[in-house]
Each structure stands twice: as C-alpha cells, then as structure tokens.
Amino acid sequence: MNKPLALKLAPTSLKEVIGQSHLIGKDKILSNLVKNKKIFSMILYGPPGVGKTSIANAMVNDLGVRYRFLNATVNTKKDLDIVIEEAKMYDGLVLIMDEIHRLNKDKQDILLPQLESGLITLIGMTTSNPYHAINPAIRSRCQLFELHALDSEDIIKGLKKALKHPDLGGIKADNKVLELITKLSGNDLRYAYNLLEICYYSFDDKTITEEHIRKINSKPVFFADKNGDGHYDVLSGLQKSIRGSDVDAALHYAARLVAEEDLDSLFRRLSVIAYEDIGLANPAIGPRVDAAIHAAERVGLPEARIPIGTIVAEMALSPKSNTAHIAFDKALEDIENGNVGMIPSHIKTDSPEYKYPHNYKGAYVVQQYLPDKLKNKKYYEPKDIGYEKQLKEIYEKLEKIKESSY
C-alpha cells in the first residue's frame, strides 16, 4: 500500500506528538496516565488535523495494550461484536473509534454494557462538540478532552520534521515556504504534510519554492495571517461583529469563510448567533437564517454568496437580545446544583386540581407552576428592544396579576 506521508509521520509515542501541551508533557494529564500505566474511557474532540488519532495510537503504543480501531460510520454491528468477543478472550481491550458522534443507537446498546463493565475501554474521536453530538449515556462513561487547533509554530515544527523523512529525498524548503504552507493549511497538520508531499512528486526541483506551492494551491490565505489569526478567530470575529451590529465587519468575516468554502462552519455559527445574540429581539431571525442556509445549499457556490450576504447583513442590523438563553443558563445552573424541588401536585399528570388556562378569560389563570422551593424564582429579565419590547409588556402585566393574587 502506498501510505501517505502524513501516516508515515504519525507519532508512535506521546513524546512525539506535536502540540496539545495542555494535555501532553511533564505532569500533564495524558502523559501522567501513560506514566502510571493507566487508561480510562475518553473522548478526544477538536478540529481536523490536530492529532486526535495520533494521540490515541500513541497512548496505546506507549501502554503496550491490546487495541482495535473502528469507525462509527463505516463499521457494522458485526464488527463491534467481533471486537467484544476478542475483548472477552483477552479479558479486555481498548477500542479506538473515529467519528464517535455517528454511533447509532443499535451500536450504542451493544457497546454501553461493555463500557460499564470495563471490558472495553473506549477512546472516541470527533470533530463535533461532544456535549451536543454524543449520546449522554456514552458521554457520561468517558472523560472529555478538548484538543486545540495547532498554532503556526506547531505546523512549522511538523514540516521541518517531514523534510527529514527519507521519502522526500532530501528536498529543501526555506522558512518563507514553510510559513506559506502553514497559512494555506488552516493549521491542519495533515493537510500541511499532504501539500508538502504533493510538491515533492509534482516538481523535479530539489528545492520547493513559493511558486511551486501556489501552482498546487492558488487559494488566498484566510485563516492565518501575519497577526496569527486562526480559523476559530475568524468565526469569533464574525459573531462579535454581528453582536456589535457592525455590518461591514460581519460581511468581511463571512466573506473570508465563503472564499475558503467553509460553509459548514459558517452555517453552524450563524445558527448559533440567531438565538444567542438576536434571540427574542427578533424571533423571526431563526427561521430566516434556516431559509438562507437552505437556499445557499440548494444553489451552491458561487451563487450561495447572495443569500449568505443578505442574511449576514440583516443579522448585523437586527436588534439584539440574549435574555432567553441567559435565563435558560440560570435554570440549568439550578438543576446542576440540585436546586430543584418537587413538582406541584396540581400540575402533575391527570391532576383534578389543575386549572386549564384555556377555560379562563384571556386563556390565563394564576396558579403555581414552579416547585415550592423555587416558586418566587425569576430567571427571565426582558429587554426593552425590538419584538421583545412587546413580550416585556406582556410579561410585566402577567407578573402584576400574579402579585395581586398571592
């Protein structure tokens, strides 16, 4: 098999892993686990090309444990059954599973008891946020470790290591070339390795030049510039520009994402902004964002820029409110701290004491809904802006009715 250079350069020990210094190194969590010859089920999550697979493979190599590798999308229930039977034969093994967020319910039902018993130790890997994308039952049995995007120094360090690999036959590249590859890679080390390898086989010269790089990849640099801005910084710039109602800046950052053809990241972030930053001040923005995304996906690039530009401008100029999600976070905080209480008996299922609001004038009747422990709790604090101004008037009117009834 003609293995790509990136695979040949994959670290065989945690000591060879590039980046992730918050997890790897002296007295860091993953390094200490290896030092203490112990491994727990875990999920490694982060953007592509930051070393999730490399770290998983390096750990099992360092520990010398038996392991198997599966992909939640490609491998079947039968494949998982075979791994479990092998684990029983050897009294346990480590299962490295890529795309863990795509593990369907049938496979989850098979895997969960084995995680619970300790027969299988799972190292899951995903580019998705595990708090949103992974089944809570799986998540609760794993430690979650976030891998950060590699910085420019990490990528250049990896490229210098790659230049010494015998497969590249002593090819040379100066620092400017390495910096250009780093910028074009979007801080994805795998992509950087691939670009370097393609250069080697595409030209007869023993020295790679900037011209060689641009002949292979002519896209302009967006995710890394002289100030070191990264992919997530562009997304942050987009959200903060919309939140700050700067339409020109919002369009600029959205254009950078469109030029890079990273529509998935753009669409996810716009969907978040619609509810996090605009919210009840303009509730129609959520469906409008969905409609713009659908239109952009239907027509594809380059026409997709038209609905994208339209919705980004509208979002930037829309009134803003974060009251709803802030209120919800307060409610979640109470739940997480055990501040709950019993559900009032009159709103439990089929309670004869329940007052059906639709039977009353204005479809409203005063009765207690929160538990006694929280009955006077106020999570929601409305703003006097946009559509929420109308909601605030309704809210205050209802509060006055409640106060006069108690």
Side-chain angles (χ1 to χ4, degrees):
M1 180 186 292
N2 184 21
K3 290 184 178 180
L5 179 65
L7 192 57
K8 294 177 182 178
L9 288 167
T12 57
S13 168
L14 278 185
K15 295 177 181 177
E16 300 173 4
V17 172
I18 293 174
Q20 311 310 328
S21 57
H22 62 297
L23 297 173
I24 299 169
K26 182 176 173 55
D27 295 328
K28 297 301 172 65
I29 296 172
L30 298 187
S31 295
N32 281 345
L33 287 178
V34 168
K35 183 177 71 174
N36 294 321
K37 300 295 182 183
K38 186 68 177 177
I39 189 168
F40 298 92
S41 289
M42 64 182 70
I43 293 171
L44 306 176
Y45 69 101
V50 297
K52 295 183 290 294
T53 304
S54 294
I55 289 174
N57 285 324
M59 287 191 72
V60 294
N61 284 337
D62 282 339
L63 290 166
V65 295
R66 189 176 297 276
Y67 72 96
R68 288 292 177 264
F69 187 98
L70 294 180
N71 185 298
T73 304
V74 176
N75 292 107
T76 64
K77 286 168 52 180
K78 183 178 179 181
D79 297 323
L80 187 55
D81 287 333
I82 292 171
V83 170
I84 292 171
E85 289 305 312
E86 187 174 352
K88 291 176 180 177
M89 186 184 308
Y90 294 103
D91 194 28
L93 59 70
V94 175
L95 172 60
I96 300 174
M97 182 171 286
D98 202 6
E99 304 285 347
I100 184 69
H101 63 284
R102 296 189 181 277
L103 194 68
N104 64 32
K105 188 177 185 304
D106 289 345
K107 294 175 190 173
Q108 289 172 22
D109 290 342
I110 295 172
L111 181 60
L112 278 171
Q114 316 311 325
L115 293 180
E116 192 72 42
S117 69
L119 184 69
I120 295 286
T121 300
L122 175 69
I123 302 180
M125 299 171 295
T126 177
T127 56
S128 298
N129 186 330
Y131 296 99
H132 300 156
I134 294 179
N135 181 290
I138 295 284
R139 195 175 66 230
S140 70
R141 290 163 174 81
C142 299
Q143 297 299 313
L144 306 182
F145 296 114
E146 181 179 8
L147 274 62
H148 299 159
L150 301 180
D151 61 28
S152 299
E153 290 182 6
D154 293 328
I155 302 296
I156 290 175
K157 180 180 178 181
L159 289 171
K160 287 182 176 179
K161 176 183 176 182
L163 288 172
K164 298 176 183 178
H165 196 278
D167 277 17
L168 296 187
I171 198 167
K172 297 180 180 179
D174 63 24
N175 286 335
K176 285 187 176 181
V177 169
L178 297 184
E179 288 171 4
L180 178 58
I181 294 175
T182 299
K183 291 176 180 179
L184 290 170
S185 73
N187 287 15
D188 181 332
L189 185 57
R190 187 191 301 112
Y191 183 91
Y193 285 155
N194 291 340
L195 185 53
L196 189 65
E197 185 176 22
I198 291 170
C199 283
Y200 173 73
Y201 287 105
S202 299
F203 305 100
D204 293 330
D205 299 348
K206 280 289 185 178
T207 300
I208 300 175
T209 67
E210 291 185 56
E211 183 181 357
H212 292 150
I213 300 296
R214 295 194 185 281
K215 283 181 179 178
I216 295 170
N217 189 329
S218 59
K219 284 188 178 182
V221 177
F222 291 103
F223 292 126
D225 58 25
K226 63 182 180 181
N227 296 318
D229 291 345
H231 170 72
Y232 290 99
D233 291 333
V234 175
L235 291 169
S236 177
L238 171 68
Q239 181 161 9
K240 288 171 181 171
S241 297
I242 292 177
R243 182 185 296 154
S245 301
D246 189 323
V247 64
D248 297 304
L251 290 168
H252 169 79
Y253 291 116
R256 288 172 70 160
L257 292 161
V258 169
E260 189 65 19
E261 297 184 13
D262 187 7
L263 298 187
D264 285 344
S265 295
L266 173 60
F267 293 160
R268 285 196 297 270
R269 188 57 64 103
L270 291 179
S271 296
V272 170
I273 296 168
Y275 294 95
E276 180 180 354
D277 293 306
I278 298 174
L280 293 177
N282 181 6
I285 202 68
R288 289 181 65 77
V289 168
D290 284 343
I293 291 172
H294 181 68
E297 290 175 333
R298 175 182 290 176
V299 301
L301 290 169
E303 288 85 357
R305 75 189 190 285
I306 300 169
I308 290 172
T310 302
I311 196 63
V312 167
E314 181 179 357
M315 294 174 77
L317 297 173
S318 172
K320 311 292 191 301
S321 174
N322 63 352
T323 55
H325 88 81
I326 292 297
F328 194 70
D329 286 346
K330 291 177 182 177
L332 281 174
E333 185 179 357
D334 270 346
I335 305 304
E336 291 166 357
N337 292 331
N339 192 21
V340 285
M342 298 295 293
I343 297 171
S345 59
H346 61 276
I347 62 169
K348 290 182 178 179
T349 306
D350 298 327
S351 170
E353 301 172 0
Y354 173 60
K355 298 176 182 178
Y356 188 57
H358 294 288
N359 290 339
Y360 294 82
K361 182 180 179 181
Y364 179 75
V365 60
V366 175
Q367 59 188 327
Q368 181 181 330
Y369 292 96
L370 278 169
D372 286 341
K373 189 176 180 181
L374 298 169
K375 73 175 187 176
N376 294 317
K377 188 81 174 186
K378 304 295 181 189
Y379 296 116
Y380 177 55
E381 298 178 11
K383 287 186 177 180
D384 194 9
I385 187 170
Y387 175 76
E388 192 172 12
K389 182 177 181 179
Q390 299 176 46
L391 297 180
K392 180 182 179 183
E393 292 173 358
I394 296 170
Y395 175 79
E396 291 176 345
K397 180 179 179 182
L398 294 175
E399 286 298 296
K400 287 180 180 178
I401 295 173
K402 281 199 287 187
E403 289 171 6
S404 64
S405 299
Y406 287 147

